[in-house]
Amino acid sequence: MKDKKLDLNSIIGFALIFGILIWMLYRNQPSQKEIDAEKAKKEQVVQTEKAKTAPAKESVIAAIDTTSGDSLQLAKLKGSLGNFAYSATLPSAKETFTTIENKLVSIKVANKGGYIVEAKLKNFERFKRGSGQMVELIKDNNSHLNIQLQTQDNRTLNTKDLFFEPTVTKVGENQILTMRLKAGANEFLEYKYVLKPNDYMLDFDVRSQGLSKVLNTSKPLDLEWSLKAYRNEKSISYENRYADLRYEHEEGKYDNVGDGNDKKETVEEVSYIAFKQHFFASILLTKTSFKTAELYSTKLIVDEEKDTVFTKQFRANVPLAFNNGEVDYKMNWYFGPSDYKTLKAYDKNLDKIIPLGWGIFGWINKFIFIPLFGFLSSYIAYGIAIIVFTILIKIAMSPITYKSFLSQAKMKVLRPEINELGEKYKKDPGKKQQETMKLYTKAGVNPMAGCIPALIQIPFMYASFQFFPSAFELRQKSFLWADDLSSFDQIAKLPFHIPLYGDHVSLFPILAAIAIFFYMKMTSGDQQMAAPQQEGMPDMAKMMKIMIYVSPIMMLIFFNTYGAGLSLYNFISNLITIGIMIVIKKYVVDENKIHAQIQENKLKEPKKQGKFQRKMQEMMEQAEAQKALQKKK
């Protein structure tokens, strides 16, 4: 088959067709007269529409010149409001940015909206050390600040859509960025940012000047601040657990909106609002309390394998009240770590955003755990500091542990006599309880002595569950196989995801589970030996045997995604407790001596009953009296 080629006739044909098309386009284009007529017609339509929508009084309206890209911020009109105008062609009416920075943070502010569009922390990396990705609390349009302006003719303007004019100055080492939304030479809305050296906190002032003739000042301006919190840690589930919206209100009260979907709170007299992530926070503070605040939080993680970018969506709406026709608020922004010492140094109660626990649990963390661990970690590596910290806590608690074991030993010695009373008064439980209490009193044994030491240790255990997840200093600190003590210590990656457990295997939780298994096996055996045989006791014994296996499994599952520091603490704590128990049993507590002492106590004048024992005795006697009365009836 021959190749097809263009011949002379084909070339001439294509040339003629092209020429005809050009001629047709030329003949069909409108003349200058027609263009002018069409333009005049459009202008007439625009003027007609303006006439329809314009109010009786002349006013000032906001608009954007979409053809030029410059901001036609307000049209210049004359009337009862006087001569008041925005510049129609401000040089700042472009989407450009201004950056101020120090050694700790870099802040980028946009001309459009005048708010912060980038807040980068220079000394902290995302996910793990060496990743090269710095922590950015604000970036890629994840945060907005907007003030709604209500004009006197009931129009609504949004500052996020309008262009501010930036001016950068320096006073000493302080960098000052002034952003003005101008209405004239001396009429404007102003945001002023002041960044000091070596500081995570900026001064942030919002004030107006000369706008009382344009704005409706009968009600406050509505300021809205929102932020979608970026994930910055290795475990998104662990980070999400400690991300929440916290605030201070009513002169010293602290609270949070709560975890979950679409959580909302309306609070009064708010002095600061914190969008807290696990180890970082964005906080807005005000010297003049916000009269009210509408706060909103929702979680953005539905599927942990897919939702891996953001953790929470936060939003706050607050009113900015007018004073003599103008707004003037002195505020601050904080963009930095949720580190207890750093936040406390500002002396603005910002340390309250860290969940250290309420009441006695918080006191233990503030006055024992934080100072002690801070001291140790300033001299030795963090992993070693956790071990030494745990040893010191357990040594301090050892007298309580000793009393608990001593009480168990005494109850164990008395058990045969208690069982005899049980057999003797088998048909009269009330009498049996009375005689048992008399035996305790005569022998000088307090049945509650073993419970009280255990109760005393509970606050310290709970405090540790609050302390380690909040310890910023553990972030990205390695120890043995754990590359980050603030996150899980993965030793194996699973090819599938197990509900509640995760898609990896952590080693410290396994060690902690083994330790707690042996600890419970030892203590449950002693408790069963010490406890008197009573009705229902076989079921109780069976339950305790089940707990020996259930507790380690629960720890293994739930601690798999927890921080390695907490798992290490629990492993060492249970290991030390086991060691203390062995030493006390073998070298401190002598059951033969205890038995001899009890027998000697029986021969002496019975000791005065304690309040608890006396109360129990009275209750039993009253029960017996009522029972006897019922029998007579």
Side-chain angles (χ1 to χ4, degrees):
M1 190 175 182
K2 294 181 178 181
D3 294 337
K4 293 184 178 179
K5 296 182 180 180
L6 289 175
D7 56 11
L8 183 61
N9 292 333
S10 298
I11 294 171
I12 293 171
F14 280 121
L16 287 172
I17 292 171
F18 182 76
I20 291 169
L21 289 172
I22 296 296
W23 179 77
M24 290 175 65
L25 291 171
Y26 176 77
R27 286 295 303 267
N28 289 325
Q29 71 176 357
S31 64
Q32 185 63 42
K33 184 177 180 181
E34 290 173 325
I35 292 172
D36 293 339
E38 182 66 19
K39 186 175 180 180
K41 183 178 179 181
K42 287 183 178 179
E43 287 180 356
Q44 185 177 4
V45 170
V46 170
Q47 293 297 328
T48 303
E49 290 298 317
K50 284 184 177 180
K52 289 179 181 179
T53 58
K57 282 187 175 183
E58 292 181 332
S59 61
V60 184
I61 62 172
I64 299 293
D65 185 347
T66 55
T67 57
S68 67
D70 291 335
S71 174
L72 186 60
Q73 305 245 5
L74 286 179
K76 184 176 181 180
L77 300 172
K78 292 183 180 180
S80 60
L81 296 180
N83 190 357
F84 185 65
Y86 282 149
S87 170
T89 56
L90 283 176
S92 62
K94 299 174 184 177
E95 294 196 32
T96 54
F97 310 91
T98 305
T99 300
I100 54 177
E101 59 185 334
N102 58 24
K103 293 181 179 180
L104 303 178
V105 296
S106 174
I107 303 296
K108 183 187 288 186
V109 180
N111 285 10
K112 188 176 182 180
Y115 59 87
I116 297 171
V117 293
E118 185 179 290
K120 181 188 294 184
L121 305 184
K122 294 185 174 182
N123 299 324
F124 303 106
E125 294 178 278
R126 300 180 70 198
F127 307 131
K128 63 180 181 178
R129 186 180 295 179
S131 68
Q133 300 181 52
M134 307 313 293
V135 171
E136 293 179 271
L137 301 181
I138 298 177
K139 68 170 184 176
D140 298 336
N141 213 33
N142 74 315
S143 179
H144 296 93
L145 180 76
N146 180 58
I147 296 179
Q148 281 193 349
L149 307 174
Q150 298 292 333
T151 65
Q152 290 189 357
D153 60 343
N154 294 322
R155 297 176 185 274
T156 300
L157 313 179
N158 290 297
T159 59
K160 67 180 182 179
D161 300 324
L162 304 177
F163 287 86
F164 288 65
E165 185 174 8
T167 303
V168 179
T169 57
K170 287 194 75 173
V171 176
E173 295 186 69
N174 296 344
Q175 300 171 65
I176 303 173
L177 171 59
T178 303
M179 306 293 295
R180 286 184 175 177
L181 180 63
K182 290 190 173 181
N186 296 306
E187 295 131 357
F188 51 80
L189 176 69
E190 178 184 272
Y191 297 163
K192 185 165 76 172
Y193 303 88
V194 180
L195 181 62
K196 306 177 185 69
N198 299 314
D199 202 342
Y200 292 106
M201 189 173 289
L202 304 87
D203 292 344
F204 175 59
D205 298 347
V206 176
R207 74 181 184 95
S208 65
Q209 180 173 303
L211 300 186
S212 58
K213 295 180 180 179
V214 178
L215 300 180
N216 180 0
T217 60
S218 63
K219 58 181 180 178
L221 300 179
D222 181 28
L223 181 147
E224 179 180 283
W225 172 40
S226 63
L227 181 140
K228 286 174 71 176
Y230 275 105
R231 171 193 178 186
N232 289 307
E233 311 305 327
K234 183 167 66 173
S235 173
I236 190 167
S237 62
Y238 197 52
E239 181 177 7
N240 183 57
R241 187 178 298 130
Y242 294 99
D244 60 359
L245 194 162
R246 294 181 171 264
Y247 55 91
E248 180 186 46
H249 65 116
E250 296 180 10
E251 299 182 356
K253 294 182 181 178
Y254 309 96
D255 211 335
N256 67 319
V257 172
D259 191 30
N261 292 318
D262 299 323
K263 294 291 184 177
K264 298 178 182 178
E265 293 281 352
T266 300
V267 290
E268 298 180 351
E269 300 298 332
V270 177
S271 48
Y272 71 66
I273 300 166
F275 295 166
K276 180 187 173 295
Q277 297 166 240
H278 188 179
F279 287 122
F280 300 95
S282 305
I283 309 174
L284 177 63
L285 307 92
T286 177
K287 293 180 180 177
T288 304
S289 296
F290 300 128
K291 191 69 177 175
T292 60
E294 294 180 0
L295 307 175
Y296 170 87
S297 172
T298 191
K299 62 179 183 180
L300 301 176
I301 301 172
V302 178
D303 186 338
E304 292 181 6
E305 295 190 31
K306 296 179 181 178
D307 304 325
T308 59
V309 179
F310 300 101
T311 56
K312 295 274 174 57
Q313 169 75 61
F314 301 122
R315 188 176 70 245
N317 287 81
V318 297
L320 302 182
F322 285 96
N323 185 11
N324 295 324
E326 303 292 354
V327 165
D328 190 0
Y329 273 77
K330 306 293 182 185
M331 296 185 282
N332 298 94
W333 288 112
Y334 174 88
F335 299 104
S338 298
D339 174 45
Y340 179 81
K341 293 178 181 176
T342 302
L343 294 173
K344 190 171 180 61
Y346 285 104
D347 197 25
K348 295 179 181 289
N349 300 322
L350 297 182
D351 54 289
K352 303 295 184 182
I353 73 169
I354 299 177
L356 295 177
W358 55 271
I360 190 172
F361 312 116
W363 300 339
I364 291 171
N365 277 322
K366 290 177 185 177
F367 303 117
I368 299 177
F369 282 12
I370 290 176
L372 178 59
F373 188 76
F375 173 77
L376 293 172
S377 60
S378 62
Y379 291 99
I380 54 180
Y382 285 93
I384 302 298
I386 292 175
I387 295 173
V388 175
F389 171 84
T390 311
I391 292 171
L392 293 176
I393 294 295
K394 297 307 291 184
I395 289 174
M397 300 292 289
S398 59
I400 297 173
T401 306
Y402 167 73
K403 286 186 177 182
S404 180
F405 288 137
L406 182 62
S407 176
Q408 287 181 12
K410 288 180 178 180
M411 293 292 291
K412 184 178 179 181
V413 169
L414 279 178
R415 185 180 178 185
E417 297 181 51
I418 294 171
N419 288 341
E420 286 179 11
L421 292 173
E423 286 296 322
K424 185 176 180 180
Y425 300 104
K426 186 186 295 185
K427 296 181 180 180
D428 193 347
K431 185 67 174 176
K432 182 185 72 174
Q433 291 292 338
Q434 282 186 15
E435 293 300 320
T436 301
M437 292 302 295
K438 286 179 182 178
L439 176 62
Y440 288 149
T441 304
K442 189 182 292 185
V445 174
N446 185 352
M448 295 300 295
C451 300
I452 294 172
L455 291 174
I456 292 173
Q457 294 184 67
I458 288 175
F460 285 84
M461 181 185 69
Y462 181 80
S464 70
F465 277 81
Q466 299 293 108
F467 169 72
F468 283 100
S470 300
F472 181 85
E473 52 266 58
L474 294 180
R475 185 177 187 268
Q476 296 181 355
K477 300 300 189 300
S478 61
F479 179 65
L480 299 178
W481 57 85
D483 58 3
D484 186 350
L485 286 169
S486 71
S487 189
F488 56 81
D489 57 311
Q490 176 179 311
I491 58 167
K493 180 73 174 177
L494 300 175
F496 46 82
H497 185 274
I498 302 174
L500 300 179
Y501 187 75
D503 59 357
H504 65 275
V505 177
S506 299
L507 183 52
F508 277 131
I510 295 174
L511 297 176
I514 293 171
I516 199 172
F517 170 77
F518 284 106
Y519 166 73
M520 291 193 70
K521 200 158 183 67
M522 291 175 68
T523 55
S524 63
D526 289 341
Q527 288 169 359
Q528 287 180 38
M529 289 292 292
Q533 192 72 26
Q534 297 177 7
E535 292 182 25
M537 194 62 192
D539 293 334
M540 181 63 70
K542 190 182 292 184
M543 187 178 294
M544 291 181 72
K545 285 181 180 179
I546 293 172
M547 289 303 296
I548 291 173
Y549 298 96
V550 170
S551 295
I553 292 172
M554 296 292 285
M555 173 169 278
L556 187 66
I557 292 173
F558 290 107
F559 274 57
N560 193 59
T561 56
Y562 269 67
L566 180 58
S567 298
L568 174 60
Y569 171 81
N570 278 280
F571 168 58
I572 299 298
S573 178
N574 287 313
L575 212 59
I576 294 170
T577 303
I578 290 170
I580 291 173
M581 286 172 62
I582 293 171
V583 170
I584 290 174
K585 283 183 176 181
K586 286 193 173 183
Y587 304 105
V588 179
V589 175
D590 188 332
E591 290 186 5
N592 292 327
K593 287 184 178 180
I594 291 171
H595 183 268
Q597 184 63 51
I598 288 175
Q599 298 307 318
E600 186 179 333
N601 289 343
K602 288 181 181 179
L603 300 175
K604 296 178 181 178
E605 192 72 24
K607 290 184 179 180
K608 187 178 180 181
Q609 287 183 328
K611 288 184 179 179
F612 175 79
Q613 288 177 305
R614 188 168 60 251
K615 190 67 177 174
M616 287 293 293
Q617 185 74 24
E618 290 173 358
M619 288 173 63
M620 290 175 187
E621 289 174 354
Q622 289 174 4
E624 280 297 306
Q626 288 179 359
K627 188 175 179 181
L629 186 62
Q630 287 177 353
K631 283 183 178 180
K632 288 180 180 180
K633 291 181 179 180

